[in-house]
Amino acid sequence: MTEPALPTFADGKDPEALRTIGEVAKGLGIRQHVLRYWEEQFPMLKPLKRSGGRRYYRAEDVALVERIDRLVHREGYTLRGAKLALTGKSAAASPSATAPSLPASPGAAVTSNFAYRARLIALRTTLVNALHDA
């Protein structure tokens, strides 16, 4: 298995350099509060914390943030599904693995509708990417 490519930033720093949350947020186009929330939701995302709680992201942390962003914002995963996909615990974590089933009760309709919406977003993203690649 090949190692994932290191994220590139146009700041002149070495690719292996530590980056602050502000640098990562700006470089990847993700807001700082989202990065802090993802740290809570994804136990594998653990940037270094130095004096005063200042966060420093290693290259592997930045690569993980890019993967989370791709799964959640481009492929239509829920946070839970992305977490399962990253840990490799379930093949069913993929939004395209199975079609959502019909709801058993009216309360389940909301969950089912959300699953349909996530699937449609993932399909739309796939189509947009295919058109851009063509």
Side-chain angles (χ1 to χ4, degrees):
M1 188 168 140
T2 61
E3 267 189 47
L6 291 176
T8 57
F9 289 85
D11 59 4
K13 282 187 175 181
D14 184 85
E16 290 285 338
L18 296 176
R19 300 187 189 283
T20 65
I21 191 170
E23 291 171 328
V24 173
K26 183 177 179 184
L28 299 180
I30 302 169
R31 297 180 63 138
Q32 292 183 29
H33 72 273
V34 172
L35 293 172
R36 287 189 292 270
Y37 181 69
W38 285 354
E39 288 173 25
E40 295 173 6
Q41 298 302 310
F42 295 89
M44 67 285 286
L45 180 58
K46 293 275 185 206
L48 299 172
K49 289 189 182 173
R50 299 261 167 98
S51 62
R54 190 173 175 101
R55 292 165 170 80
Y56 289 95
Y57 287 78
R58 298 168 292 231
E60 57 267 20
D61 295 322
V62 176
L64 179 57
V65 167
E66 285 182 319
R67 288 177 61 204
I68 293 168
D69 182 52
R70 177 179 47 80
L71 289 171
V72 173
H73 292 126
R74 285 179 247 151
E75 295 184 18
Y77 282 73
T78 61
L79 291 180
R80 182 174 180 233
K83 189 184 314 180
L84 290 172
L86 290 170
T87 58
K89 288 188 178 179
S90 171
S94 168
S96 61
T98 59
S101 60
L102 293 174
S105 67
V110 173
T111 304
S112 181
N113 287 341
F114 182 78
Y116 282 117
R117 184 176 187 276
R119 177 76 175 120
L120 288 171
I121 290 170
L123 288 171
R124 180 185 66 195
T125 302
T126 302
L127 291 171
V128 166
N129 290 339
L131 286 173
H132 286 294
D133 292 341

